[in-house]
Amino acid sequence: MTAQPIHPHDPERVPRNAEGIAAALTGERRMEFYRELLSAAPEEAEGVLRRWWCEAMLDTDPAGDRLTAAALDGTLPTTAVADLVRRRREAGLPVE
């Protein structure tokens, strides 16, 4: 069984490769991404790409400013981990 995104993007807003990630970042953040990727050992490169893809997705999220403001204001809806675990178990999904 695979997990599906809550809000799927078709096509994906940021391609899952170095070129797509770099295109979604601007200025200093793009340079920081390249520095980190180029200095990573081969076994670390995948983790760098994953982290920066998440950053690029957040940077390009149309609701990003609203979500950031809600998080800073303490009004962002949250869910307890125990509730998530319970819902996964009820749905027959793995909990690890």
Side-chain angles (χ1 to χ4, degrees), residues 16-63:
R16 289 180 178 255
N17 57 48
E19 184 178 358
I21 294 166
L25 300 169
T26 58
E28 188 175 315
R29 287 178 54 74
R30 181 181 298 137
M31 294 311 299
E32 185 180 348
F33 163 67
Y34 278 133
R35 276 193 296 274
E36 192 172 325
L37 182 60
L38 292 173
S39 66
E43 62 273 7
E44 298 169 334
E46 184 178 352
V48 171
L49 289 169
R50 265 199 220 112
R51 183 178 85 76
W52 279 99
W53 178 80
C54 292
E55 294 282 336
M57 287 294 288
L58 289 171
D59 284 0
T60 60
D61 187 341

